[in-house]
Amino acid sequence: MPGGAGAGGAGAGDGVGAQPGKPAQPPKSSKPAEPSAPGSGSQPGGGDGTTKPPPGKPAPPPAPAALTLSAPQRAPADKRWCEKVTVEFRNTGGSPARSGTVTFATHIIGALGVDWATIRSSQSLPAPIAAGATRSETYTVCVESWRVPLGMRVETQDVSAVWE
């Protein structure tokens, strides 16, 4: 190759530290690190602010609680106008569900399968339910005994909840 090694010189534009057969790499000092406070560069591994929000900006508030309910799992109770209903509550939000109400829609079914009525009742939510947690609760759900004559039964088919 004409001109040899001295033809291009050190500042030929191939990048800092370029050697024949190796790609040029920028110097380590040209890659900016996380901004740090003045005078904190002497602290090993600290002062880069990676765990704290930037000064002047508050941390965003956590997302509100968001509950999802499983389908009700029914089991017979000791009285024909009652049944045990198990519900699983899953909090997919960023805050705990601190209080609330669970509402059950209990259907009164006749001997021939006719749905005669739907009675709504409410009970307390098993609170608190932490963010990201799942909690299961078994409730005894009853309607007035006179609403379920002999030969009829109850079925809690729908469950909903409100929470704070």
Side-chain angles (χ1 to χ4, degrees), residues 37-59:
S40 65
S42 63
Q43 297 174 356
D48 62 350
T50 56
T51 58
K52 298 178 186 175
K57 282 191 174 181

Side-chain angles (χ1 to χ4, degrees), residues 38-136:
S40 65
S42 63
Q43 297 174 356
D48 62 350
T50 56
T51 58
K52 298 178 186 175
K57 282 191 174 181
L67 293 182
T68 56
L69 283 65
S70 69
Q73 301 296 315
R74 302 174 22 247
D78 55 347
K79 299 174 184 157
R80 72 176 181 280
W81 54 88
C82 298
E83 68 181 349
K84 295 189 182 292
V85 180
T86 302
V87 181
E88 183 178 274
F89 302 91
R90 182 180 305 264
N91 186 352
T92 59
S95 298
R98 293 183 178 89
S99 64
T101 304
V102 182
T103 302
F104 302 93
T106 303
H107 296 253
I108 299 172
I109 310 294
L112 298 176
V114 175
D115 190 340
W116 288 97
T118 301
I119 308 299
R120 298 200 183 280
S121 60
S122 297
Q123 295 188 35
S124 295
L125 186 73
I129 302 173
T134 301
R135 187 160 177 190
S136 184

